[in-house]
Amino acid sequence: MLRWKDTATNVQPFMPTRGVRSHPQSALWKSIKDLFGPIVALLRLILVAAVTTIGAVLYCLFMLIPVQSVRSVCNSWIAFICGRIVLFLLGFYSITVKEEQLHLSFGSGSRPALSLREKSALKNTTNRAVLPGDLIVANHASYVDIIYLCTMYSPAFTAINPKTGQLRQIPLHEAIMSCGQHPSHLSDHTKSETTLPSLIESCRKLNKPVVLFPEATTSNNRALLRPAVDMNALFSGVQMPKQRVHVIAFRYVFQEFSPAYILGGKLSHVIGLCSQVWNALQVRVCFHHDAYWEDGGFEAGSPAENGAMKVVEVRAAGFGLGQVVETMLVDVSKLKMTSLGVQDKIEFFEYCMNKQKRE
């Protein structure tokens, strides 16, 4: 497995991970868990199926509403209520959301410190609303990511084609089912592909934000995979700061079974997830702020202006927009970027399938 170990970070991003207990597990508790774990998992799965069915039926009924704005609001509420119930049934009783203040430096590598007044001023001028046509850039480790994003923002999901460098909009069920699939399926729908600016504009008319997973496939949540395409080329034509960009990073906390889903049977993974007493999800969010992209029109010499001058300066940095967004994802997630990507995941996938056939 050293073949898929990133030499710079010393991380194997495709290997399933196991939690490490801080104290030994008693034999009694292990026996109880082995006995009742499958029963609890089965009950949870039945309830998840029931909630999902109810949500799908209500969604279809609300699609009959002729007024698009009303239809979007109703579907958003259904997605939030049903999605949060599903996450609860999967063991995510509490989800920690932490707002991050972007603090990057390009070129020199120095990171000038923000004072408390500057941090507070930038925080107070941040618009935390995710609006239709906004772009959400996130790391990808599990189908749980997709359920959370659907719950909170009811967005349009996308799939990147590593061969053409373009993307297409995909429905929720396809986004979930494509997790853990052979990444070669990303290149099967070239006729429906378009550019990122065109897709954003069409989703704005549908009253939906757009979700972009630059990695285009899942990892084990220990590091970030190299983007599947050239990010600067992908973001070509995106106008900043007119286009609002939010960066979201997912981190999973678990005792034994990891919620990160790399490959294998989906049902067996969901059963393993439901068999655990609890699962924890940590979400780091960096909302869009005009100060990250241009002079925000702050009062000269104010803490907000001084803070803005210490964060990203896209115009002066000489870095492409896509590269800046990529660096933002690294900064917000606190995960290292590996040199491995989609093609390496394909090779790992085929290696595992061939090994399974030999056994």
Side-chain angles (χ1 to χ4, degrees), residues 104-106 291-296 305 307-319 324:
L104 304 179
S105 180
F106 294 91
Y292 299 156
W293 310 104
E294 69 167 7
D295 295 330
E305 184 193 48
M309 293 173 62
K310 291 180 180 180
V311 293
V312 175
E313 284 284 351
V314 177
R315 304 179 316 285
F319 286 78
V324 172

Side-chain angles (χ1 to χ4, degrees), residues 15-234:
M15 290 296 294
T17 55
R18 286 282 180 179
V20 179
R21 287 185 172 274
S22 57
H23 53 83
Q25 188 178 27
S26 66
L28 177 60
W29 173 250
K30 187 177 185 303
S31 300
I32 293 175
K33 188 181 69 172
D34 292 342
L35 178 61
F36 292 102
I39 299 175
V40 173
L42 179 60
L43 292 175
R44 283 179 167 179
L45 284 175
I46 293 174
L47 292 174
V48 166
V51 172
T52 303
T53 302
I54 293 173
V57 171
L58 291 176
Y59 177 84
C60 293
L61 291 176
F62 287 144
M63 288 300 292
L64 301 176
I65 299 176
V67 182
Q68 183 171 326
S69 58
V70 177
R71 183 170 66 239
S72 298
V73 171
C74 292
N75 285 331
S76 296
W77 273 106
I78 289 300
F80 177 78
I81 295 171
C82 293
R84 191 60 190 93
I85 294 175
V86 168
L87 289 172
F88 184 87
L89 292 172
L90 292 177
F92 295 93
Y93 309 124
S94 63
I95 298 176
T96 305
V97 180
K98 180 182 179 182
E99 183 179 342
E100 295 285 342
Q101 284 294 324
L102 190 63
H103 189 194
L104 304 179
S105 180
F106 294 91
S108 64
S110 60
R111 302 170 75 89
L114 291 175
S115 67
L116 292 177
R117 291 186 64 194
E118 291 168 347
K119 290 181 180 179
S120 177
L122 283 179
K123 186 174 183 179
N124 292 336
T125 53
T126 298
N127 188 341
R128 293 164 182 80
V130 177
L131 305 176
D134 285 5
L135 180 63
I136 300 173
V137 180
N139 67 318
H140 194 19
S142 175
Y143 47 84
V144 180
D145 311 340
I146 298 172
I147 297 174
Y148 175 84
L149 290 169
C150 178
T151 300
M152 299 304 298
Y153 307 112
S154 191
F157 293 95
T158 61
I160 300 176
N161 187 336
K163 293 184 178 179
T164 63
Q166 294 190 319
L167 37 74
R168 63 187 177 91
Q169 181 180 344
I170 57 176
L172 173 63
H173 70 273
E174 183 177 344
I176 293 177
M177 296 306 297
S178 63
C179 284
Q181 283 189 357
H182 197 293
S184 61
H185 78 279
L186 296 169
S187 306
D188 295 341
H189 305 275
T190 55
K191 291 184 178 179
S192 57
E193 291 176 351
T194 184
T195 61
L196 180 59
S198 298
L199 185 59
I200 290 174
E201 190 58 35
S202 62
C203 289
R204 181 177 284 112
K205 296 176 182 178
L206 296 174
N207 288 330
K208 288 180 174 290
V210 179
V211 169
L212 174 68
F213 295 122
E215 300 163 290
T217 188
T218 54
S219 69
N220 61 8
N221 205 222
R222 293 184 57 202
L224 296 173
L225 301 180
R226 184 181 71 249
V229 296
D230 181 0
M231 291 289 283
N232 287 335
L234 182 65

Side-chain angles (χ1 to χ4, degrees), residues 7 77 109 137 187 234 242 286 302 328 334:
T7 55
W77 273 106
V137 180
S187 306
L234 182 65
K242 179 182 178 181
C286 180
S302 67
M328 289 171 66
K334 306 296 187 292

